């Protein structure tokens, strides 16, 4: 029983709710689905991604948010960023800066941060959200990082941003 209303499936089905947003100066949520996106080439060897959200001229504060798919043997060197990000490992096992991270591990990278050397023997998937650094103001970079037509050699990639 919820207050004076019986808490049953039958009773709940009869409840009517209608709500209009009270704040007209706020935006609604946006829904996207992984199946509506193609895998894109990412700058590090053995890595592809589906970035459902990313900064664009009309939406410069959107995060980079989506799934990274890593093949067995994928890796990247230590590198640095001014933005912040969160990773949630969904599948696979990853050695990140010498620490083994398995499915269910969540990593928080504050701003500014470095990503230690990264490698995987199993491959897997990681859900990532990169967002503007609250203290640095630096924004994540999408174009030329997550949507490459051809991957560069690791030695030719900048690791300082």
């Amino acid at each position: 029983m919820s207050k004076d209303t019986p808490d049953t499936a039958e009773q709940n089905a009869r409840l009517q709710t209608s709500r209009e947003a009270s704040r007209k100066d706020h935006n609604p949520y946006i829904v996207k689905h992984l199946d509506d996106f193609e895998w894109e080439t990412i700058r590090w060897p053995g890595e592809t991604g589906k970035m459902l959200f990313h900064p664009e001229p009309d939406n410069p504060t959107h995060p980079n948010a989506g799934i990274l798919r890593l093949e067995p043997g994928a890796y990247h060197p230590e590198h640095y960023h001014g933005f912040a990000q969160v990773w949630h490992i969904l599948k696979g096992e990853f050695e990140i800066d010498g620490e083994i991270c398995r499915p269910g591990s969540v990593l928080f990278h504050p701003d500014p941060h470095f990503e230690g050397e990264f490698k995987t023997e199993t491959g897997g998937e990681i859900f990532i959200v990169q967002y503007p650094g609250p203290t640095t103001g630096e924004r994540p970079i999408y174009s030329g990082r997550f949507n490459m037509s051809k991957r560069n050699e690791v030695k030719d990639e900048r690791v300082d941003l």
Side-chain angles (χ1 to χ4, degrees):
M1 179 79 96
S2 297
K3 295 192 181 187
D4 299 321
T5 305
D7 193 10
T8 65
E10 181 181 336
Q11 187 64 32
N12 287 342
R14 289 189 207 138
L15 295 175
Q16 297 293 318
T17 58
S18 63
R19 180 181 181 279
E20 188 174 314
S22 57
R23 295 286 306 264
K24 301 300 181 198
D25 59 338
H26 283 59
N27 296 314
Y29 62 87
I30 302 168
V31 176
K32 296 186 179 183
H33 195 280
L34 282 172
D35 292 344
D36 297 334
F37 292 79
E38 298 296 323
W39 292 103
E40 296 181 305
T41 300
I42 295 180
R43 69 181 182 148
W44 303 119
E47 199 170 333
T48 55
K50 289 187 179 191
M51 301 310 289
L52 281 66
F53 297 95
H54 56 81
E56 300 176 273
D58 291 343
N59 299 299
T61 62
H62 277 199
N64 275 333
I67 301 288
L68 301 182
R69 181 176 63 185
L70 300 113
E71 298 171 5
Y75 73 95
H76 69 237
E78 181 177 296
H79 61 284
Y80 301 82
H81 296 299
F83 54 81
Q85 64 179 328
V86 174
W87 296 356
H88 179 197
I89 297 176
L90 303 173
K91 299 177 185 173
E93 184 174 283
F94 302 92
E95 184 178 335
I96 304 169
D97 204 27
E99 182 173 346
I100 301 298
C101 298
R102 295 177 177 83
S105 298
V106 177
L107 292 78
F108 168 62
H109 298 86
D111 70 317
H113 71 273
F114 73 92
E115 291 179 25
E117 183 181 30
F118 173 104
K119 52 189 168 185
T120 178
E121 292 181 20
T122 65
E125 293 183 356
I126 302 173
F127 176 72
I128 71 165
V129 178
Q130 299 176 331
Y131 55 95
T135 57
T136 64
E138 291 189 36
R139 295 180 176 165
I141 300 168
Y142 170 76
S143 187
R145 296 269 179 100
F146 289 93
N147 62 345
M148 303 178 79
S149 56
K150 179 181 167 234
R151 186 174 285 125
N152 298 321
E153 295 289 324
V154 171
K155 68 178 180 53
D156 296 328
E157 282 292 340
R158 290 190 65 177
V159 296
D160 60 333
L161 54 92

